[in-house]
Amino acid sequence: MAVISVNGPLKKMHTQLDSDGLAHYELELGDTRVPLSELLNHQLTLVASGEIFCVLCGRKTKKSFSQGHCYPCFTRSASCDICMVSPEKCHFDQGTCREPEWAQSFCFNEHVVYVANSSDPKVGITRATQIPTRWVDQGASWAKPIFRVATRQLAGLIETELKPHISDKTRWQAMLKGAPTEVDLTALAAELTAIVMPYANTLNEQHGPGAVRALLGGGDAEPVKVISYPVVQYPSKIKSLNLDKQPILSGRLTGIKGQYLMFGDEVFNVRKFSGYQVQLEISE
């Protein structure tokens, strides 16, 4: 017997870490949040109506672009521009930003360059206010900030400087199969900081003292964050579920990691289908 039924457009799962570093998840359907971490081993059924609503403007769209945007918002919104993926290519800096006022509030605030281990060690960037949310969304088991910088572009420049020495990608299938091999992130952070410090010093000369701040010693040092996930069974093989091809998804919830729901060996990327109108039913 269904114990709950909720209907609305999907949104990226809301996450929170408890004092033990365990991630807790809520599935957002419109204005309703369903506490998924409490529903492990329950039967979930997701039924897509075929309707998609833009996550930015709310209009109905036949196709989703960039994780839930209609085509006009995809082409006009600064949040969908290439510099969101590659901040070193900042359009504001070039005078070609689509939404300069939005950029002032989003890009011109403190960002963090970090190392994390989701499937392998990687470098990444995020707004300072998005820690630890960004790490949970990527399924990181360990993470550590290594630089605090004044703007998003500076974070992208530091990340680009580090890419020849460390990947900036997560192997999502490996991430979903369990925790990766543990790596000493403190030692790795020290090694990467030493490599990039000459360039960081140059950026400080260009943008002012403190624009790029290393987080190695003294009061600025930050510890490695250890994160665990609500999973009772990791998949041994990965089959990705797709609402466009299979509008009804049903299975026993065996785990949640990153932005993925696990149903045995089948996994569903919630964020990829943001804006899709879905009915959720939960059974014992």
Side-chain angles (χ1 to χ4, degrees), residues 137-148:
D137 286 347
Q138 292 186 336
S141 296
W142 299 275
K144 178 179 173 62
I146 56 175
F147 284 95
R148 284 185 179 265

Side-chain angles (χ1 to χ4, degrees), residues 2-43:
V3 296
I4 188 171
S5 180
V6 182
N7 189 60
L10 278 175
K11 297 180 181 178
K12 180 177 84 76
M13 286 188 285
H14 177 77
T15 63
Q16 186 174 2
L17 287 183
D18 65 21
S19 58
D20 295 322
L22 175 64
H24 293 265
Y25 285 86
E26 292 178 319
L27 183 66
E28 296 195 47
L29 289 160
D31 296 325
T32 302
R33 288 185 179 181
V34 179
L36 282 184
S37 298
E38 303 171 10
L39 298 175
L40 291 178
N41 285 318
H42 283 67
Q43 188 77 13

